[in-house]
Amino acid sequence: MPSTPDTTPGRGGAAAPARRVRVDPEGPVLVEGPVEIALDDGTVARSDRFMVAVCTCRRSRAYPWCDTSHRRRERAAAPPEEPEAKKPGKPEKPEEGNPS
């Protein structure tokens, strides 16, 4: 619950200061540090930096920290539009001076 104080053992039962987290929809999650991240394999990654970029795309070579590898991947471009005259359902107009 967001309003429940952190009573983790070793913290004296006092409420921990809130961490500010910013989510970039095209990049990492930015967390005000220091930060500890518990990984799936049971190890803990720690950073004492004032701001930490946490990888959410798993392309980082420094995972769980972001190394901007997500920028190297090109986005799929939208297919080019067909010119108006060649779209199905619309007859092409004959050029002027050219009999059809």
Side-chain angles (χ1 to χ4, degrees):
M1 294 182 155
S3 61
T4 304
D6 182 5
T7 56
T8 305
R11 296 194 186 219
R19 296 282 179 212
R20 179 165 292 160
V21 176
R22 284 184 259 165
V23 179
D24 180 348
E26 296 184 20
V29 173
L30 300 174
V31 183
E32 290 184 2
V35 174
E36 284 187 355
I37 297 179
L39 300 172
D40 291 340
D41 64 1
T43 59
V44 175
R46 180 175 172 84
S47 176
D48 291 321
R49 297 182 64 143
F50 68 93
M51 182 68 69
V52 178
V54 180
C55 177
T56 58
C57 68
R58 293 190 170 253
R59 288 191 284 256
S60 174
R61 290 188 185 115
Y63 187 82
W65 316 120
C66 178
D67 67 359
T68 68
S69 292
H70 61 272
R71 293 182 186 167
R72 292 187 198 109
R73 184 172 177 189
E74 295 288 325
R75 289 180 185 226
E81 282 195 33
E82 294 181 30
E84 282 294 317
K86 293 196 178 199
K87 285 191 178 179
K90 286 195 173 187
E92 287 189 37
K93 295 179 185 174
E95 291 181 24
E96 292 195 27
N98 260 352
S100 306

